[in-house]
Coordinates of all heavy atoms in Angstrom, one line a residue:
M1 N -76.8 -30.3 9.8 CA -77.6 -29.2 10.4 C -77.1 -27.9 9.9 O -76.0 -27.5 10.1 CB -77.5 -29.4 11.9 CG -78.4 -28.5 12.7 SD -78.4 -29.0 14.4 CE -79.8 -28.1 15.0
A2 N -78.0 -27.2 9.3 CA -77.6 -25.9 8.7 C -77.8 -24.8 9.7 O -78.8 -24.1 9.7 CB -78.4 -25.6 7.4
S3 N -76.9 -24.7 10.6 CA -76.9 -23.5 11.4 C -75.4 -23.0 11.5 O -74.5 -23.8 11.3 CB -77.4 -23.8 12.8 OG -76.5 -24.7 13.5
R4 N -75.3 -21.8 11.6 CA -73.9 -21.2 11.8 C -74.0 -20.2 12.9 O -75.0 -19.8 13.4 CB -73.4 -20.6 10.5 CG -74.3 -19.4 10.0 CD -73.8 -19.0 8.6 NE -74.8 -18.1 8.0 CZ -74.7 -16.8 8.1 NH1 -73.7 -16.2 8.8 NH2 -75.6 -16.0 7.5
I5 N -72.8 -19.9 13.3 CA -72.6 -19.0 14.5 C -72.0 -17.7 14.0 O -71.0 -17.7 13.3 CB -71.8 -19.6 15.6 CG1 -72.6 -20.8 16.2 CG2 -71.4 -18.6 16.6 CD1 -71.8 -21.5 17.3
S6 N -72.7 -16.6 14.3 CA -72.2 -15.3 14.0 C -71.5 -14.8 15.2 O -72.2 -14.6 16.2 CB -73.3 -14.4 13.5 OG -72.8 -13.1 13.3
Q7 N -70.2 -14.6 15.1 CA -69.5 -14.2 16.3 C -69.2 -12.7 16.3 O -68.5 -12.2 15.4 CB -68.1 -14.9 16.4 CG -67.3 -14.6 17.7 CD -67.9 -15.1 19.0 OE1 -68.0 -16.3 19.1 NE2 -68.3 -14.2 19.9
I8 N -69.9 -12.0 17.2 CA -69.6 -10.6 17.3 C -68.6 -10.3 18.3 O -68.8 -10.8 19.5 CB -71.0 -9.9 17.6 CG1 -72.0 -10.2 16.6 CG2 -70.7 -8.4 17.8 CD1 -73.4 -9.8 17.0
P9 N -67.5 -9.7 18.0 CA -66.5 -9.5 19.0 C -67.0 -8.8 20.2 O -67.7 -7.9 20.2 CB -65.5 -8.5 18.2 CG -65.7 -8.8 16.8 CD -67.2 -9.1 16.7
G10 N -66.7 -9.4 21.4 CA -67.1 -8.9 22.6 C -68.5 -9.3 23.0 O -69.0 -8.9 24.1
D11 N -69.2 -10.0 22.1 CA -70.5 -10.5 22.5 C -70.6 -12.0 22.5 O -69.6 -12.7 22.1 CB -71.5 -9.9 21.4 CG -72.9 -9.9 21.9 OD1 -73.2 -10.4 23.0 OD2 -73.8 -9.4 21.2
L12 N -71.7 -12.6 22.9 CA -71.9 -14.0 22.9 C -72.0 -14.5 21.4 O -72.5 -13.8 20.6 CB -73.1 -14.4 23.7 CG -73.0 -14.1 25.2 CD1 -74.4 -14.2 25.8 CD2 -72.0 -15.0 25.9
P13 N -71.7 -15.8 21.2 CA -72.0 -16.4 19.9 C -73.5 -16.3 19.6 O -74.3 -16.6 20.4 CB -71.5 -17.9 20.0 CG -70.7 -17.9 21.2 CD -71.1 -16.8 22.1
F14 N -73.8 -16.0 18.3 CA -75.2 -15.8 17.9 C -75.5 -16.8 16.8 O -74.8 -16.8 15.8 CB -75.3 -14.3 17.4 CG -76.7 -13.8 17.5 CD1 -77.1 -13.2 18.6 CD2 -77.5 -13.8 16.4 CE1 -78.4 -12.7 18.7 CE2 -78.8 -13.3 16.4 CZ -79.2 -12.7 17.6
H15 N -76.6 -17.6 17.1 CA -76.9 -18.6 16.1 C -77.8 -18.1 15.0 O -78.7 -17.3 15.2 CB -77.6 -19.8 16.8 CG -76.7 -20.5 17.8 ND1 -75.8 -21.4 17.5 CD2 -76.6 -20.3 19.2 CE1 -75.2 -21.8 18.6 NE2 -75.6 -21.2 19.6
I16 N -77.6 -18.6 13.8 CA -78.4 -18.3 12.6 C -78.7 -19.6 11.9 O -77.8 -20.4 11.7 CB -77.6 -17.4 11.7 CG1 -77.3 -16.0 12.4 CG2 -78.4 -17.1 10.4 CD1 -76.4 -15.1 11.6
L17 N -80.0 -19.8 11.6 CA -80.4 -21.0 10.8 C -80.3 -20.6 9.4 O -80.8 -19.5 9.0 CB -81.8 -21.4 11.2 CG -82.0 -22.0 12.6 CD1 -83.5 -22.5 12.7 CD2 -81.0 -23.1 12.9
E18 N -79.9 -21.5 8.5 CA -79.9 -21.3 7.1 C -80.7 -22.4 6.4 O -80.6 -23.6 6.7 CB -78.4 -21.3 6.6 CG -77.7 -20.1 6.9 CD -76.3 -20.1 6.3 OE1 -75.7 -21.2 6.0 OE2 -75.7 -19.0 6.1
C19 N -81.5 -21.9 5.5 CA -82.4 -22.8 4.7 C -81.5 -23.7 3.8 O -80.6 -23.2 3.1 CB -83.4 -22.0 3.9 SG -84.4 -23.1 2.8
D20 N -81.7 -25.0 3.9 CA -80.9 -25.9 3.0 C -81.3 -25.8 1.5 O -80.6 -26.2 0.6 CB -81.1 -27.4 3.5 CG -80.5 -27.6 4.8 OD1 -79.5 -27.0 5.2 OD2 -81.0 -28.5 5.5
G21 N -82.5 -25.2 1.3 CA -83.0 -25.1 0.0 C -82.5 -23.8 -0.7 O -81.7 -23.9 -1.7
C22 N -82.9 -22.7 -0.2 CA -82.6 -21.4 -0.9 C -81.5 -20.6 -0.1 O -81.0 -19.6 -0.7 CB -83.8 -20.6 -1.0 SG -84.5 -20.0 0.6
G23 N -81.1 -21.0 1.0 CA -80.0 -20.3 1.7 C -80.4 -19.1 2.5 O -79.6 -18.4 3.1
S24 N -81.7 -18.9 2.6 CA -82.1 -17.7 3.3 C -81.9 -18.0 4.8 O -81.9 -19.1 5.3 CB -83.6 -17.4 3.1 OG -84.5 -18.4 3.5
A25 N -81.7 -17.0 5.6 CA -81.3 -17.1 7.0 C -82.5 -16.8 7.9 O -83.3 -15.9 7.6 CB -80.2 -16.2 7.3
Y26 N -82.6 -17.5 9.0 CA -83.5 -17.1 10.0 C -82.7 -16.7 11.3 O -81.9 -17.5 11.8 CB -84.4 -18.3 10.4 CG -85.4 -18.0 11.5 CD1 -86.6 -17.4 11.2 CD2 -85.1 -18.3 12.8 CE1 -87.5 -17.1 12.1 CE2 -86.0 -18.0 13.8 CZ -87.2 -17.4 13.5 OH -88.1 -17.1 14.5
E27 N -82.9 -15.5 11.7 CA -82.2 -15.1 12.9 C -83.1 -14.3 13.8 O -84.1 -13.7 13.3 CB -81.0 -14.2 12.5 CG -81.1 -13.5 11.2 CD -79.9 -12.9 10.7 OE1 -78.9 -12.8 11.4 OE2 -79.8 -12.5 9.5
C28 N -82.9 -14.4 15.0 CA -83.6 -13.6 16.0 C -82.7 -12.6 16.7 O -81.6 -13.0 17.1 CB -84.2 -14.5 17.1 SG -85.6 -15.5 16.5
F29 N -83.1 -11.4 16.7 CA -82.2 -10.4 17.2 C -82.5 -10.1 18.7 O -82.4 -9.0 19.1 CB -82.2 -9.1 16.4 CG -81.7 -9.4 15.0 CD1 -82.5 -9.5 13.9 CD2 -80.3 -9.5 14.8 CE1 -82.0 -9.7 12.6 CE2 -79.8 -9.7 13.5 CZ -80.6 -9.9 12.5
D30 N -83.0 -11.1 19.4 CA -83.2 -10.9 20.8 C -82.4 -12.1 21.5 O -81.6 -12.8 20.8 CB -84.6 -10.9 21.2 CG -85.4 -12.1 20.7 OD1 -84.7 -13.2 20.5 OD2 -86.6 -12.1 20.6
A31 N -82.7 -12.4 22.7 CA -82.0 -13.4 23.5 C -82.1 -14.8 22.8 O -81.3 -15.6 23.1 CB -82.5 -13.4 24.9
T32 N -83.2 -15.0 22.0 CA -83.4 -16.3 21.4 C -82.2 -16.7 20.6 O -81.8 -17.9 20.5 CB -84.6 -16.2 20.5 OG1 -85.7 -15.7 21.3 CG2 -85.0 -17.6 20.0
G33 N -81.5 -15.8 19.9 CA -80.4 -16.1 19.0 C -79.2 -16.7 19.7 O -78.4 -17.3 19.1
Y34 N -79.2 -16.5 21.0 CA -78.0 -17.0 21.8 C -78.1 -18.5 22.1 O -77.2 -19.1 22.5 CB -77.8 -16.2 23.1 CG -77.4 -14.7 22.8 CD1 -78.2 -13.7 23.3 CD2 -76.3 -14.4 22.1 CE1 -77.9 -12.4 23.1 CE2 -75.9 -13.1 21.9 CZ -76.7 -12.1 22.4 OH -76.4 -10.8 22.2
D35 N -79.4 -19.0 22.0 CA -79.6 -20.3 22.4 C -80.2 -21.1 21.2 O -81.2 -20.8 20.7 CB -80.7 -20.3 23.5 CG -81.0 -21.7 24.0 OD1 -80.8 -22.7 23.3 OD2 -81.5 -21.8 25.1
L36 N -79.4 -22.1 20.7 CA -79.7 -22.8 19.4 C -81.1 -23.5 19.6 O -81.9 -23.4 18.7 CB -78.7 -23.7 19.0 CG -78.9 -24.5 17.7 CD1 -79.1 -23.5 16.6 CD2 -77.8 -25.4 17.4
D37 N -81.3 -24.1 20.7 CA -82.6 -24.8 20.9 C -83.8 -23.9 20.8 O -84.8 -24.1 20.2 CB -82.6 -25.6 22.2 CG -81.7 -26.8 22.2 OD1 -81.3 -27.3 21.1 OD2 -81.3 -27.2 23.3
A38 N -83.6 -22.7 21.5 CA -84.7 -21.7 21.5 C -84.9 -21.1 20.1 O -86.0 -20.9 19.7 CB -84.3 -20.6 22.5
L39 N -83.8 -21.0 19.4 CA -83.9 -20.4 18.0 C -84.6 -21.4 17.1 O -85.5 -21.0 16.3 CB -82.5 -20.1 17.5 CG -82.5 -19.5 16.1 CD1 -83.1 -18.1 16.1 CD2 -81.0 -19.4 15.5
V40 N -84.3 -22.7 17.2 CA -85.0 -23.7 16.4 C -86.4 -23.7 16.7 O -87.3 -23.8 15.8 CB -84.3 -25.1 16.7 CG1 -85.2 -26.2 16.1 CG2 -82.9 -25.2 16.0
A41 N -86.8 -23.7 18.0 CA -88.2 -23.7 18.4 C -88.9 -22.4 17.8 O -90.0 -22.5 17.3 CB -88.3 -23.7 19.9
S42 N -88.3 -21.3 17.9 CA -88.8 -20.1 17.3 C -89.0 -20.2 15.8 O -90.0 -19.8 15.3 CB -87.9 -18.9 17.7 OG -88.4 -17.7 17.0
A43 N -88.0 -20.8 15.1 CA -88.1 -20.9 13.7 C -89.3 -21.9 13.3 O -90.0 -21.6 12.4 CB -86.8 -21.5 13.2
R44 N -89.4 -22.9 14.1 CA -90.5 -23.9 13.8 C -91.9 -23.2 13.9 O -92.8 -23.4 13.2 CB -90.5 -25.1 14.7 CG -89.3 -26.0 14.4 CD -89.1 -27.1 15.4 NE -90.3 -28.0 15.2 CZ -90.3 -29.1 14.4 NH1 -89.3 -29.3 13.6 NH2 -91.3 -29.9 14.3
E45 N -92.0 -22.3 14.9 CA -93.2 -21.5 15.1 C -93.5 -20.6 13.9 O -94.6 -20.3 13.5 CB -93.2 -20.7 16.4 CG -93.4 -21.6 17.6 CD -93.4 -20.7 18.9 OE1 -93.4 -19.5 18.8 OE2 -93.3 -21.3 20.0
A46 N -92.4 -20.2 13.3 CA -92.5 -19.3 12.1 C -92.7 -20.1 10.8 O -92.7 -19.5 9.8 CB -91.2 -18.4 12.0
G47 N -92.8 -21.4 10.9 CA -93.1 -22.2 9.7 C -91.9 -22.9 9.1 O -92.1 -23.6 8.1
W48 N -90.8 -22.8 9.8 CA -89.6 -23.5 9.3 C -89.8 -25.0 9.6 O -90.4 -25.4 10.7 CB -88.3 -23.0 9.9 CG -87.9 -21.7 9.3 CD1 -88.5 -20.5 9.2 CD2 -86.6 -21.5 8.6 NE1 -87.8 -19.6 8.6 CE2 -86.6 -20.2 8.2 CE3 -85.5 -22.3 8.4 CZ2 -85.5 -19.6 7.5 CZ3 -84.4 -21.8 7.7 CH2 -84.4 -20.5 7.3
T49 N -89.2 -25.9 8.8 CA -89.0 -27.3 9.2 C -87.6 -27.5 9.5 O -86.7 -26.9 8.9 CB -89.4 -28.2 8.1 OG1 -88.6 -28.0 6.9 CG2 -90.9 -28.0 7.7
T50 N -87.3 -28.3 10.5 CA -85.9 -28.5 11.0 C -85.6 -30.0 10.9 O -84.5 -30.3 11.2 CB -85.7 -28.0 12.4 OG1 -86.7 -28.6 13.2 CG2 -85.9 -26.5 12.4
Q51 N -86.5 -30.8 10.5 CA -86.2 -32.3 10.3 C -86.8 -32.7 9.0 O -88.0 -32.5 8.7 CB -86.8 -33.1 11.5 CG -86.2 -32.8 12.8 CD -84.8 -33.3 12.9 OE1 -84.4 -34.2 12.2 NE2 -84.0 -32.8 13.9
P52 N -86.1 -33.4 8.2 CA -84.7 -33.8 8.3 C -83.8 -32.6 7.9 O -82.6 -32.7 8.1 CB -84.5 -35.0 7.4 CG -85.5 -34.8 6.3 CD -86.6 -34.0 6.9
H53 N -84.3 -31.6 7.2 CA -83.5 -30.5 6.7 C -84.1 -29.2 7.3 O -85.2 -29.1 7.7 CB -83.6 -30.4 5.2 CG -83.2 -31.7 4.5 ND1 -81.9 -32.2 4.5 CD2 -83.9 -32.6 3.8 CE1 -81.8 -33.3 3.9 NE2 -83.0 -33.6 3.4
H54 N -83.2 -28.2 7.3 CA -83.7 -26.9 7.6 C -84.3 -26.2 6.3 O -83.6 -26.1 5.4 CB -82.5 -26.0 8.1 CG -82.1 -26.4 9.5 ND1 -81.3 -27.4 9.8 CD2 -82.4 -25.8 10.7 CE1 -81.1 -27.5 11.1 NE2 -81.8 -26.5 11.7
H55 N -85.6 -25.9 6.4 CA -86.2 -25.3 5.2 C -87.0 -24.1 5.7 O -87.8 -24.2 6.7 CB -87.1 -26.3 4.5 CG -86.3 -27.1 3.5 ND1 -86.7 -28.4 3.1 CD2 -85.1 -26.9 2.8 CE1 -85.8 -28.9 2.2 NE2 -84.9 -28.0 2.1
C56 N -86.9 -23.0 5.0 CA -87.7 -21.9 5.3 C -89.2 -22.2 4.9 O -89.4 -23.2 4.2 CB -87.2 -20.7 4.5 SG -87.5 -20.8 2.7
P57 N -90.1 -21.4 5.4 CA -91.6 -21.7 5.1 C -91.8 -21.9 3.6 O -92.6 -22.8 3.2 CB -92.3 -20.5 5.6 CG -91.4 -20.0 6.7 CD -90.0 -20.3 6.2
R58 N -91.2 -21.1 2.7 CA -91.4 -21.2 1.3 C -90.9 -22.6 0.8 O -91.6 -23.3 0.0 CB -90.7 -20.1 0.6 CG -91.3 -19.8 -0.8 CD -90.7 -18.6 -1.4 NE -89.2 -18.7 -1.4 CZ -88.4 -17.9 -2.1 NH1 -88.8 -16.9 -2.7 NH2 -87.1 -18.1 -2.0
C59 N -89.7 -23.0 1.1 CA -89.1 -24.2 0.7 C -89.9 -25.4 1.3 O -90.1 -26.4 0.7 CB -87.6 -24.3 1.0 SG -86.6 -23.2 0.0
A60 N -90.3 -25.3 2.6 CA -91.1 -26.3 3.2 C -92.4 -26.6 2.5 O -92.8 -27.7 2.3 CB -91.4 -25.9 4.7
A61 N -93.0 -25.5 2.0 CA -94.2 -25.6 1.2 C -94.0 -26.4 -0.1 O -94.7 -27.3 -0.5 CB -94.8 -24.2 0.9
S62 N -92.9 -26.0 -0.8 CA -92.6 -26.7 -2.1 C -92.2 -28.1 -1.8 O -92.4 -29.0 -2.7 CB -91.5 -25.9 -2.8 OG -90.3 -25.9 -2.1
E63 N -91.6 -28.4 -0.7 CA -91.2 -29.8 -0.3 C -92.5 -30.6 -0.1 O -92.6 -31.8 -0.6 CB -90.4 -29.8 1.0 CG -89.8 -31.1 1.3 CD -88.9 -31.0 2.6 OE1 -89.5 -30.5 3.6 OE2 -87.8 -31.4 2.6
L64 N -93.5 -30.0 0.5 CA -94.8 -30.7 0.7 C -95.4 -31.0 -0.7 O -96.0 -32.1 -0.9 CB -95.7 -29.9 1.5 CG -95.4 -29.9 3.0 CD1 -96.3 -29.0 3.8 CD2 -95.4 -31.2 3.7
V65 N -95.3 -30.1 -1.6 CA -95.9 -30.2 -2.9 C -95.2 -31.4 -3.6 O -95.9 -32.2 -4.3 CB -95.8 -28.9 -3.7 CG1 -96.2 -29.2 -5.2 CG2 -96.8 -27.9 -3.1
A66 N -93.9 -31.4 -3.5 CA -93.1 -32.4 -4.2 C -93.3 -33.8 -3.6 O -93.2 -34.8 -4.3 CB -91.6 -32.0 -4.1
A67 N -93.7 -33.9 -2.3 CA -93.7 -35.2 -1.7 C -94.9 -36.0 -2.1 O -95.9 -35.6 -2.5 CB -93.8 -35.0 -0.2
Ligands
ZN1 ZN1 -85.7 -21.8 1.6

């Protein structure tokens, strides 16, 4: 699962999704970023795929073409 946590000193852990294909990051700079499940749901709405890999919309599109 390609997610990492950006820890800001004095703040809550902040989740970031990373594309397994190109490495681009999906982050939400509101309360969504504090909750991994909410962040994943938000990313899926933005066109990301999260199963079986984390892929940004661009890589997800090329994955469909390849399949
Ligand atoms: Zn990508």
